[in-house]
Amino acid sequence: MVPLKSLIQLDKASLLPIFVQLSNQLGQLIRVGTLLPGQRLPGTRQLADLLALNRQTVVAAYDEGMAQGWLESRPGSGTYVASHLPDVKPQPLPSGDEPLLKNKATDGQPGYAFDRLDFLVRPVMTTQAGLHLDDGFPDIRLAPMDELSRAYRSYFRWGNPQQHFGYGDTKGHSLLREQLSMYLNETRGLQTTPDNMLITRGSIMGLHLASQVLLRPGDVVITGETTWAGATMNFRKAGAIVRTVPVDEHGIDLNKLAGYCEQQPIRMVFVTPHHHYPTTVTLHPSRRVRLLQLAEQYGFAVLEDDYDYDFHYLSRPILPLASADRRGMVVYVGSLTKSVAPAFRIGYVVGPSALIDELARLRRIIDRQGDPMLEFAIGQLFKTGDLKRHFRKTLRTYQARRDHFCALLASELRDAIQFTKPDGGLAVWARFDPAIDMEAMAGRAAQEGLTLSNGVFHNPPGQQLNGTRLGFASSSEEELERSVQVLKKVLY
């Protein structure tokens, strides 16, 4: 006899009904070979007495097991394990405290092999409560929630319900593509139509799609020595070989890039020219011109990630590379998540219509479409001017916070860090004294209630930058003051 009383463990405090728990556990005993095909089960009264249950609970569990195909009823004889099931080698009874019904499928490693890609292992940055100097996140307290809520509600009153609650265009909602195209033409000097726009769930999705469409195994991609790991992970996942060039106060080294081009075919160059990630430096105009010339000469694609163009504090920002592209060499990727709030996943890819069509076909097999309601709402905010007013308001706020934060760093931490006041963006790139252990420093700050990155993942192979990004935009001026005081405490 199988010791069912010791093998079946029912939790009467669980939200799952007892008869379902019992049926599930009987099924698991069958799957592991403890109960064999054709084996007779105890009668309902006997099992009810054994488990201290109501007989009707056992009847319901047996009925459920028969409905699932694990059990069968033989009139006049009783309830049996279904005879049609394949034989399973019985597992030995557990020793000690290990439960027989432990689910190994959800406990650690699977029963099959798969490749674990080390280059995908990277800390996931999240918005932290309390004091924080993050990677350069927006202040979600400034997000236009009331305006966005009104725009959401208008979606339910707009058009044909079958149309706007059904499947939509894989490229994104037509209203947002139209409004975003006009906005980018107005603010960035682009010359686009909605056919040049693909709406994505953040810029990372755009980078992924572009990598999958443009790259093949063995292709060479050039990035800066310091760059955004989210991009390089996508390039490597596509099978590309990533080569790096130095980055100085004027951006990536174009002489080094030209040398690579003479040595081997280059498929793509990835840049963040407006504010290089992570150092925030701006690519010099002369280098922008030469980069486009090299792209045309050698036929490589330029993947331009313009993650924070809307936040520039010195008059008019330098226009993106895409604005000067006349040969279709630039794929322009951007995002509205930093302009609104990270939870609202709206990004975009701008490129020749033939490329956008292919990106949309690929997007369809991983994400049939985006969020039509959110895309409509953001499109409405562009159309009414609410989003542009929000951009102007946050720009003034973030500029004031940048100025205040940089003044604090200069006055309170001048002996510990070096930095250049950024012309734009939402973070300061700070290089700490080489004697400072960044990981230990970040750990001590966390104990004092301040979250910041230790910057280790910014280090190129074989180099120790001892630097990190200190985001100022998501904190009020008073919070920035408290954060700097914590830094001062742990550094001195």
Side-chain angles (χ1 to χ4, degrees):
M1 292 291 293
V2 176
L4 293 179
K5 183 175 182 179
S6 61
L7 294 177
I8 292 177
Q9 301 173 358
L10 304 174
D11 181 5
K12 295 185 178 180
S14 171
L15 296 177
L16 195 66
I18 294 296
F19 83 93
V20 176
Q21 294 184 49
L22 178 55
S23 175
N24 289 346
Q25 293 190 36
L26 289 172
Q28 180 66 6
L29 290 171
I30 295 169
R31 286 191 289 272
V32 300
T34 304
L35 295 175
L36 301 177
Q39 185 171 347
R40 187 178 187 275
L41 296 180
T44 54
R45 280 193 176 87
Q46 182 183 0
L47 187 57
D49 291 341
L50 189 67
L51 301 178
L53 298 174
N54 185 289
R55 177 173 174 264
Q56 292 304 314
T57 301
V58 179
V59 170
Y62 279 4
D63 288 344
E64 178 70 15
M66 286 185 277
Q68 296 290 336
W70 296 111
L71 306 179
E72 61 186 21
S73 177
R74 300 180 186 177
S77 179
T79 302
Y80 291 77
V81 176
S83 57
H84 62 78
L85 298 174
D87 290 332
V88 177
K89 182 179 179 181
Q91 295 186 7
L93 293 177
S95 59
D97 297 328
E98 180 186 358
L100 176 66
L101 301 183
K102 184 178 181 180
N103 188 350
K104 293 184 179 180
T106 57
D107 181 44
Q109 296 299 321
Y112 47 82
F114 69 97
D115 292 331
R116 182 180 183 273
L117 303 177
D118 290 339
F119 64 81
L120 295 181
V121 179
R122 176 172 172 255
V124 176
M125 292 178 292
T126 59
T127 301
Q128 299 292 324
L131 297 177
H132 52 270
L133 297 173
D134 50 47
D135 191 59
F137 299 160
D139 191 340
I140 59 176
R141 295 169 295 189
L142 303 179
M145 295 301 186
D146 291 339
E147 294 85 349
L148 191 57
S149 177
R150 286 196 296 270
Y152 258 111
R153 289 195 298 271
S154 70
Y155 185 81
F156 294 90
R157 302 189 297 271
W158 165 80
N160 184 337
Q162 288 187 341
Q163 179 183 6
H164 65 254
F165 285 108
Y167 287 113
D169 194 330
T170 309
K171 296 178 184 178
H173 198 285
S174 58
L175 176 63
L176 180 56
R177 290 167 58 214
E178 173 187 314
Q179 293 296 320
L180 188 57
S181 174
M182 291 190 295
Y183 177 73
L184 296 179
N185 293 347
E186 173 189 335
T187 60
R188 289 153 170 78
L190 305 186
Q191 298 179 24
T192 68
T193 70
D195 290 336
N196 302 119
M197 312 290 301
L198 174 70
I199 306 302
T200 61
R201 295 183 187 269
S203 59
I204 188 68
M205 184 181 190
L207 290 172
H208 175 76
L209 294 174
S211 299
Q212 293 298 315
V213 168
L214 297 176
L215 299 177
R216 295 293 177 268
D219 283 347
V220 176
V221 177
I222 303 295
T223 73
E225 282 184 342
T226 54
T227 192
W228 184 41
T232 57
M233 287 192 295
N234 273 288
F235 306 150
R236 296 179 66 182
K237 187 67 179 68
I241 300 169
V242 179
R243 302 277 188 247
T244 63
V245 296
V247 178
D248 59 25
E249 67 274 16
H250 299 301
I252 64 171
D253 186 335
L254 271 295
N255 290 328
K256 185 71 172 180
L257 173 60
Y260 272 129
C261 292
E262 293 172 358
Q263 297 169 11
Q264 59 187 315
I266 303 299
R267 178 57 175 162
M268 179 188 291
V269 173
F270 172 72
V271 287
T272 51
H274 195 233
H275 301 123
H276 177 75
Y277 185 94
T279 65
T280 75
V281 300
T282 299
L283 186 63
H284 193 274
S286 63
R287 296 191 185 185
R288 291 166 177 259
V289 172
R290 191 176 183 202
L291 177 56
L292 290 176
Q293 290 174 340
L294 290 173
E296 295 174 11
Q297 179 181 353
Y298 292 100
F300 59 76
V302 177
L303 185 55
E304 179 178 15
D305 180 10
D306 208 0
Y307 63 96
D308 61 359
Y309 182 90
D310 288 309
F311 303 110
H312 195 82
Y313 310 120
L314 296 179
S315 63
R316 184 175 175 83
I318 296 176
L319 294 177
L321 290 168
S323 68
D325 178 29
R326 297 295 178 265
R327 298 292 182 89
M329 310 306 297
V330 178
V331 182
Y332 185 71
V333 177
S335 172
L336 296 176
T337 59
K338 292 186 183 301
S339 303
V340 183
F344 299 111
R345 305 303 301 164
I346 294 289
Y348 52 87
V349 182
V350 179
S353 57
L355 174 65
I356 296 301
D357 290 343
E358 187 63 19
L359 293 175
R361 295 184 191 105
L362 176 60
R363 186 254 179 84
R364 184 178 180 181
I365 68 172
I366 62 172
D367 184 24
R368 170 58 181 80
Q369 64 189 49
D371 183 340
M373 286 182 281
L374 175 59
E375 292 174 9
F376 171 85
I378 297 296
Q380 278 289 88
L381 294 189
F382 271 117
K383 188 174 182 179
T384 60
D386 287 328
L387 203 54
K388 296 177 184 178
R389 285 189 287 273
H390 169 69
F391 291 162
R392 291 193 293 269
K393 173 185 174 182
T394 53
L395 184 66
R396 293 192 298 269
T397 301
Y398 293 157
Q399 181 173 1
R401 291 178 180 180
R402 178 206 62 166
D403 294 344
H404 189 62
F405 184 54
C406 289
L408 289 170
L409 294 179
S411 63
E412 302 295 325
L413 305 175
R414 68 177 65 184
D415 298 328
I417 67 172
Q418 293 181 336
F419 70 96
T420 298
K421 187 177 182 180
D423 293 338
L426 307 179
V428 171
W429 172 247
R431 298 285 296 271
F432 286 70
D433 187 291
I436 294 173
D437 184 324
M438 294 292 289
E439 293 184 76
M441 180 272 295
R444 292 194 300 271
Q447 294 175 354
E448 297 291 333
L450 172 64
T451 302
L452 76 159
S453 168
N454 59 32
V456 171
F457 59 86
H458 293 311
N459 292 333
Q463 297 186 44
Q464 184 72 25
L465 299 180
N466 241 43
T468 193
R469 285 168 61 90
L470 302 177
F472 55 81
S474 60
S475 301
S476 67
E477 293 187 11
E478 186 269 336
E479 289 166 340
L480 291 172
E481 292 171 3
R482 290 163 54 200
S483 298
V484 170
Q485 288 307 308
V486 171
L487 272 181
K488 186 175 182 179
K489 180 178 180 180
V490 302
L491 289 173
Y492 294 105

